[in-house]
Structures are given as structure tokens and as C-alpha cells.
Amino acid sequence: MALTSYCASHILSDQKQTLYKSCTFVIKSTQNGLVTCGKPVLRSVVPTLCTFHFQKAQKQVAQALKKAGLNNIQSPNKPAPKLHVLVAEYVRLIQCKRREIKRSDVVS
């Protein structure tokens, strides 16, 4: 990267830089704690996710909407989904994925 001694992949190693922070997407949970993606992302990006994990999160939200029966929210006859319904379904999806990861870790 210009004006630094680091490439884009290693810019987080520069202690003086304040432009980037790491992607906060949780890849897996271990006995020592959570393992996050860690790719550099601009600090101004909200949520703090790299492009790949942001798209993945969008797909998960779309799946949660579909499972909650709210996939056709553009219809004028159907009211907009309530936030608590969306959050509850999204949390349920996250918990299911965590259970699958635990099962695969136990089997391994």
C-alpha cells in the first residue's frame, strides 16, 4: 500500500495505521475462544465485515426472512416484517450453525 511498508493483506501489522481494522465474522468457536476472519476492512464500514462475509450475512438474512414467511415483503397486501421476528429467526439460524459446528468437532 502507498506510504506504508505493508501490503494490503498485512496492513493490520502496522501499529501506526488507523484506517483499517479486522473483519469480525466468526468463522468457528473453539475451546480457546472465537476464531474470526481477520481480513483488513476499512474502519468506516458498518458492519465490520469483509466483502465475502458481508454477502454471506446478507444471504443468511434472506434465508431467515424466507423461513419466517416474509420473503415477499414487496407485496402491498403484506405488512412489513417486525424487527423482533427478523432478529429471532436470524438468531435461530446462527444457533443451528453453531450446533452443527459443535457436532462436527465432537465427531472429529
Side-chain angles (χ1 to χ4, degrees):
M1 300 196 70
L3 304 175
T4 69
S5 302
Y6 298 91
C7 65
S9 300
H10 295 98
I11 192 65
L12 295 176
S13 299
D14 185 358
Q15 299 297 321
K16 295 180 182 177
Q17 72 85 20
T18 58
L19 196 58
Y20 295 93
K21 59 183 176 178
S22 60
C23 174
T24 57
F25 188 84
V26 177
I27 296 173
K28 66 179 181 177
S29 177
T30 64
Q31 293 175 349
N32 299 332
L34 301 175
V35 177
T36 59
C37 170
K39 288 184 182 176
V41 179
L42 287 172
R43 283 192 182 275
S44 61
V45 174
V46 176
T48 311
L49 299 173
C50 62
T51 306
F52 176 75
H53 289 120
F54 181 74
Q55 290 172 349
K56 193 171 185 175
Q58 282 183 322
K59 287 180 185 177
Q60 290 173 344
V61 168
Q63 287 175 347
L65 283 170
K66 190 174 182 179
K67 285 187 178 183
L70 303 170
N71 57 339
N72 192 8
I73 60 174
Q74 303 300 330
S75 173
N77 299 336
K78 210 170 208 182
K82 302 283 184 189
L83 181 62
H84 71 278
V85 174
L86 295 176
V87 170
E89 186 60 29
Y90 193 63
V91 166
R92 189 188 68 72
L93 282 174
I94 291 170
Q95 289 172 342
C96 287
K97 288 186 180 194
R98 286 182 180 166
R99 281 188 215 113
E100 289 174 13
I101 291 170
K102 280 185 179 180
R103 283 187 204 126
S104 65
D105 286 346
V106 170
V107 173
S108 299

